Amino acid sequence: MSLTLRTISREQHLAYVQTLPAASHCQVPAWADVKTEWRSENLGWFDKSGELVGAGLVLYRQLPKIKRYLAYMPEGPVINWYAPNLGDWLQPMLAHLKQQGAFSVKMGPPVVIRRWDAPAIKAGIQDPDVKRLRDVEATHIEPRAFEVADRLRKMGWQQGEDGGAGFGDVQPRYVYQVPLANRSLDDVLKGFNQLWRRNIKKAEKAGVEVVQGGYEDLAEWQRLYEITAVRDHFRPRPLSYFQRMWTVLNTEDPNRMRLYFARHNGVNLSAATMLVVGGHVWYSYGASDNIGREVRPSNAMQWRMLRDAYAMGATVYDLRGISDSLDETDHLFGLIQFKVGTGGEAVEYVGEWDFPLNKLLHKALDMYMSRR
């Protein structure tokens, strides 16, 4: 199969994504407008008959002082990763990116390697000898993913060393998902643990209401998000980031981004943003006040978002990144504990991979990044 690669228009890229059951929200054309500090390009792979068979959003970040770039494809590109001739897809891409002045390429194949269901994770948490998710036997292993990793290694790609939650610009390797395909909502609720079900009932009894917000409510979102940032010690993104995200994503598709609030007696206690691409729905950012926790607003909000995702025909509700630590003393442990209560499963991707086109500059970047 001979493939050609060339720059495509955003319209072509979007039209291609719309033919797929799902793609990462980091691979839709509008994501380039969210990440304004990067230059972007839309790539298309064409087969012999001239049909578009793959697409990718590339973000270029310039090195300080020189006209060379890091080329990054978050959770992409969107190609046939299981193709035995993977080189025919990736070689033209590397040649093109080199021509564009890239000294290093980073990509995140959307390829799942292992899954652990909730009972397996719970058993792991209870076992004092188990410290990480990878110490627990996976409930499902995808053998084809190992072949993909082997092919990449043979081509000279190097696996990124993040391994952990990878928050920030680097995409998470481990995520938590609630599968919705071929399940009734009753099945989904039955999959929740007792504490979650109790908390959903508690919120209902207390009269917590969950509502959808719009662009004009982003300032209120920001208030809750900044309270969360202080409490959880992270640097919050500015309000302008979420305003831009809302505008560009919903201009591309009016249902791409949603905003939810859980409120009690007219006071907003928690909020979340949701992203939708085809049958894949993500809970992307969450925020909550320090007050009103006893009425369980976050559980009520997640249950409403999950029901809405189900009503849209989603096949998966994705709670995004988790750390792979099952150690109760780890500061990220609460995250997996909260998410595991939804039933669902922990999912490991093959992670991010780098290809140094210029070994010297790649090494310099590595050193620069490790010092930050």
Side-chain angles (χ1 to χ4, degrees):
M1 175 173 165
S2 67
L3 292 163
T4 50
L5 175 127
R6 60 176 181 267
T7 303
I8 54 173
S9 70
R10 291 177 64 135
E11 292 71 28
Q12 281 174 294
H13 185 170
L14 181 61
Y16 178 71
V17 168
Q18 284 164 339
T19 65
L20 305 171
S24 167
H25 62 271
C26 303
Q27 282 294 309
V28 298
W31 194 250
D33 301 328
V34 177
K35 298 289 171 193
T36 47
E37 68 278 27
W38 301 70
R39 177 167 74 83
S40 69
E41 187 184 18
N42 306 80
L43 295 182
W45 280 258
F46 294 84
D47 67 10
K48 273 206 289 278
S49 68
E51 194 188 339
L52 185 60
V53 289
L57 174 68
V58 190
L59 302 173
Y60 294 98
R61 169 75 62 91
Q62 191 174 343
L63 268 187
K65 300 192 185 56
I66 55 168
K67 267 205 138 29
R68 299 302 289 277
Y69 303 86
L70 165 68
Y72 181 35
M73 278 162 285
E75 298 184 3
V78 185
I79 59 172
N80 176 10
W81 284 98
Y82 300 120
N85 60 333
L86 194 53
D88 294 356
W89 292 81
L90 298 179
Q91 288 325 111
M93 180 185 88
L94 288 174
H96 174 84
L97 297 173
K98 191 170 189 172
Q99 235 175 344
Q100 294 291 310
F103 67 89
S104 188
V105 180
K106 184 186 272 298
M107 64 178 184
V111 173
V112 170
I113 198 159
R114 294 181 189 86
R115 296 176 189 272
W116 294 263
D117 63 16
I121 300 165
K122 281 179 198 149
I125 290 170
Q126 281 154 9
D127 184 339
D129 294 335
V130 168
K131 291 287 178 246
R132 310 198 90 70
L133 203 46
R134 64 187 76 157
D135 302 335
V136 178
E137 197 175 331
T139 339
H140 177 79
I141 289 178
E142 179 51 75
R144 293 186 308 168
F146 291 93
E147 290 167 22
V148 172
D150 278 347
R151 286 182 190 130
L152 290 174
R153 259 184 226 107
K154 286 195 177 100
M155 278 180 242
W157 288 85
Q158 301 165 3
Q159 195 156 19
E161 279 311 306
D162 70 308
F167 296 109
D169 265 336
V170 174
Q171 301 307 314
R173 180 162 177 181
Y174 294 90
V175 300
Y176 207 87
Q177 297 178 347
V178 181
L180 301 177
N182 310 318
R183 296 175 78 193
S184 70
L185 264 180
D186 261 4
D187 294 338
V188 175
L189 187 59
K190 281 191 191 114
F192 281 29
N193 70 12
Q194 255 177 321
L195 183 64
W196 261 85
R197 290 203 299 270
R198 222 177 19 240
N199 286 344
I200 290 167
K201 275 219 175 75
K202 203 181 227 174
E204 222 169 282
K205 270 210 181 96
V208 171
E209 44 163 1
V210 180
V211 296
Q212 264 185 266
Y215 180 88
E216 66 287 353
D217 301 301
L218 285 168
E220 173 64 357
W221 147 266
Q222 191 71 15
R223 179 184 75 82
L224 291 166
Y225 173 63
E226 286 179 9
I227 291 171
T228 310
V230 171
R231 185 178 64 236
D232 294 349
H233 313 291
F234 65 84
R235 207 169 86 216
R237 292 189 182 275
L239 173 59
S240 58
Y241 181 83
F242 295 102
Q243 288 172 328
R244 184 168 70 239
M245 198 170 165
W246 182 276
T247 306
V248 301
L249 293 178
N250 287 337
T251 300
E252 178 174 275
D253 180 328
N255 200 29
R256 185 76 82 222
M257 180 174 175
R258 289 183 173 199
L259 177 63
Y260 287 84
F261 291 98
R263 58 171 67 142
H264 186 241
N265 297 335
V267 179
N268 291 317
L269 298 175
S270 62
T273 61
M274 178 200 254
L275 298 175
V276 182
V277 183
H280 202 126
V281 171
W282 293 264
Y283 152 55
S284 74
Y285 283 89
S288 60
D289 206 330
N290 298 326
I291 57 164
R293 299 189 146 205
E294 67 289 346
V295 294
R296 304 297 178 212
S298 293
N299 300 86
M301 186 173 63
Q302 288 295 343
W303 178 228
R304 162 73 191 272
M305 288 165 72
L306 216 149
R307 291 199 317 267
D308 284 3
Y310 188 88
M312 278 185 244
T315 52
V316 64
Y317 181 71
D318 195 322
L319 289 140
R320 285 299 277 167
I322 51 171
S323 143
D324 79 327
S325 173
L326 298 183
D327 179 352
E328 297 188 16
T329 60
D330 190 302
H331 72 291
L332 290 170
F333 175 73
L335 205 57
I336 193 167
Q337 204 174 25
F338 177 74
K339 294 176 182 183
V340 96
T342 60
E345 53 192 20
V347 175
E348 181 190 0
Y349 285 92
V350 292
E352 296 201 313
W353 294 71
D354 297 302
F355 196 98
L357 292 164
N358 177 319
K359 291 199 167 60
L360 202 68
L361 286 177
H362 179 82
K363 211 177 168 95
L365 177 82
D366 263 1
M367 283 164 70
Y368 168 71
M369 292 307 277
S370 64
R371 282 207 306 270
R372 278 175 71 183

